[in-house]
C-alpha cells in the first residue's frame, strides 16, 4: 500500500513544482480582472476562481511539455530547473498530463460557484477549443514544423495567434461569460484579448532577442539559435516595438466604453508591453 502512495505523491509534487515555480499568472489575473470590469454579481469572483486556476494549470502544462527534450529541450524555466530535469521525462510528461486534466476537473466541478450548467458548458468549450488542436496545441505543432524553414509573415501570425494568443483571449472570454457580460461587452472584451494576446507574443519575441537569460529566467536568444522566424526577424527591433505598442493601444481602445472597473485590464495591457520577463 505504502509503495503505491509514494509515486502518487511524487507525481503531485511534480505538478506542484511547476505550478508554484513563480509564473506571472497573467491568464488567471486576466480572467479575474475581466470579472471586475463587468462586475454584475457579488458571486463573480467565487465563480471565476476555479476558471482562473484551470487556466494557469493549462498554461503550466504547456510550458512543462514545451521544455521537454523532444520539444524545446530547455533546462531553465522561471529561473529554476525545468520539470524534466528534476522529475525525469516520464515524470514531466505525466505532470503536464495531470495539470491539463486537473484543469477540466476544476472547470466541471458542480460545487464550484453559481454558474448555470449552460454557462459552465460554454466556458469549458471555449477553453478546450483554445487549448487544443485549433488553438495552442495546433500552434505548437505548426511552430515545430516550421523550424528552420522560411515562411511568409502570415504563417508567423497563425503560429503566434494559435500558440499564445488564443489562450490569452479565452482567459478574457471565459471571464466575460462567467461574469455575465452582455454580447456587446463580450465582443469588446474579445477584441481587447486578441490585441493583448498579439502584444504578449510580440514582446516575448522582443525579450528573447534583447534580454539576458538571467533577466528572463529562461534561455535568451533561443529563437535565433533554433532558426525560428519571429517579429524581430521580420521587422527588426524598433519596428517590432512599435507594433507591440500599437496592439496595446488597440486593446485599451477596445475598453473605451467600460468604466474605471476596467482599469486593471488597462493596466495589464500596459504591463504586457513594459514587462521585463
Ligand atoms: C507543448 C502543447 C504545448 C504547447 C506549448 C505556450 C507554448 C505552447 C509554448 C511556450 C513557449 C513560449 C515561450 C511561448 C511564448 C509565449 C509564452 C506562452 C510565454 C510564457 O508565458 P508567460 O510569460 O510565462 O506567461 P510565466 O512563466 O510567467 O507563466
Amino acid at each position: 500500500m505504502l509503495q503505491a502512495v509514494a509515486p502518487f505523491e511524487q507525481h503531485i509534487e511534480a505538478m506542484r513544482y511547476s505550478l508554484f515555480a513563480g509564473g506571472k499568472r497573467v491568464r488567471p489575473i486576466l480572467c479575474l480582472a475581466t470579472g471586475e470590469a463587468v462586475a454584475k454579481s457579488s458571486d463573480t469572483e467565487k465563480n471565476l476562481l476555479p476558471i482562473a486556476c484551470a487556466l494557469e494549470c493549462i498554461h503550466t502544462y504547456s510550458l512543462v511539455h514545451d521544455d521537454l527534450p523532444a520539444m524545446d529541450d530547455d533546462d531553465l524555466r522561471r529561473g529554476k530547473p525545468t520539470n524534466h530535469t528534476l522529475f525525469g521525462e516520464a515524470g514531466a510528461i505525466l505532470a503536464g498530463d495531470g495539470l491539463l486534466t486537473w484543469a477540466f476537473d476544476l472547470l466541471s466541478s458542480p460545487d464550484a460557484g453559481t454558474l448555470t450548467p449552460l454557462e459552465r458548458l460554454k466556458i469549458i468549450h471555449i477553453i478546450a477549443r483554445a487549448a487544443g488542436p485549433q488553438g495552442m496545441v495546433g500552434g505548437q505543432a505548426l511552430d515545430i514544423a516550421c523550424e528552420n524553414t522560411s515562411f511568409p509573415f502570415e504563417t508567423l501570425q497563425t503560429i503566434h495567434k494559435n500558440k499564445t494568443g488564443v489562450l490569452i483571449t479565452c482567459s478574457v472570454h471565459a471571464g466575460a461569460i462567467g461574469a455575465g457580460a452582455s454580447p456587446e461587452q463580450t465582443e469588446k472584451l474579445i477584441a481587447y484579448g486578441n490585441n493583448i494576446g498579439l502584444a504578449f507574443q510580440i514582446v516575448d519575441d522582443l525579450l528573447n532577442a534583447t534580454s539576458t537569460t538571467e533577466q528572463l529566467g529562461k534561455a535568451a536568444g533561443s529563437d535565433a539559435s533554433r532558426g525560428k522566424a519571429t517579429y524581430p526577424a521580420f521587422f527588426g527591433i524598433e519596428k517590432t516595438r512599435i507594433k507591440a505598442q500599437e496592439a496595446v493601444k488597440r486593446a485599451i481602445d477596445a475598453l473605451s466604453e467600460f468604466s474605471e472597473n476596467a482599469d486593471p485590464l488597462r493596466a495589464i495591457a500596459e504591463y504586457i508591453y513594459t514587462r521585463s520577463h
Side-chain angles (χ1 to χ4, degrees), residues 164-235:
T164 312
V166 284
L167 194 64
I168 288 181
T169 304
C170 116
S171 304
V172 174
H173 193 177
I177 297 172
S182 68
E184 295 73 29
Q185 286 177 317
T186 305
E187 196 185 316
K188 304 232 175 326
L189 289 164
I190 289 175
Y192 164 86
N194 285 338
N195 279 296
I196 54 159
L198 174 63
F200 188 93
Q201 182 59 60
I202 299 177
V203 170
D204 215 73
D205 284 1
L206 266 174
L207 291 173
N208 192 285
T210 58
S211 293
T212 63
T213 298
E214 289 67 39
Q215 283 167 322
L216 292 183
K218 60 185 178 182
S222 56
D223 289 340
S225 62
R226 286 199 183 102
K228 284 194 175 181
T230 59
Y231 263 75
F234 273 99
F235 299 108

Side-chain angles (χ1 to χ4, degrees), residues 18 21-27 56 58-68 71-72 74 77-78 100 131-132 136-141 143-144 160 162-165 167-168 197 200-201 204-205 207-208 216 218 222-223 228 271 275 277:
S18 291
K24 296 185 292 297
R25 310 289 197 223
V26 167
R27 294 146 194 86
E56 188 65 12
I58 294 172
H59 166 63
T60 301
Y61 122 77
S62 80
L63 300 182
V64 171
H65 281 194
D66 186 63
D67 290 333
L68 285 166
M71 297 222 191
D72 270 3
D74 275 312
R77 165 76 63 186
R78 297 165 169 171
L100 174 60
M136 188 177 70
V137 174
Q140 176 80 346
D143 190 23
I144 288 174
H160 279 6
N162 291 348
K163 192 174 107 168
T164 312
L167 194 64
I168 288 181
F200 188 93
Q201 182 59 60
D204 215 73
D205 284 1
L207 291 173
N208 192 285
L216 292 183
K218 60 185 178 182
S222 56
D223 289 340
K228 284 194 175 181
Y271 164 75
R275 71 195 173 100
H277 66 284

Side-chain angles (χ1 to χ4, degrees), residues 122-181:
K122 278 187 188 166
I123 290 167
I124 293 171
H125 183 239
I126 62 156
I127 294 180
R129 181 62 69 90
Q134 285 151 299
M136 188 177 70
V137 174
Q140 176 80 346
L142 184 59
D143 190 23
I144 288 174
C146 287
E147 268 183 28
N148 291 310
T149 66
S150 65
F151 51 80
F153 175 60
E154 288 69 33
T155 306
L156 181 70
Q157 285 179 304
T158 306
I159 294 172
H160 279 6
K161 182 168 174 238
N162 291 348
K163 192 174 107 168
T164 312
V166 284
L167 194 64
I168 288 181
T169 304
C170 116
S171 304
V172 174
H173 193 177
I177 297 172

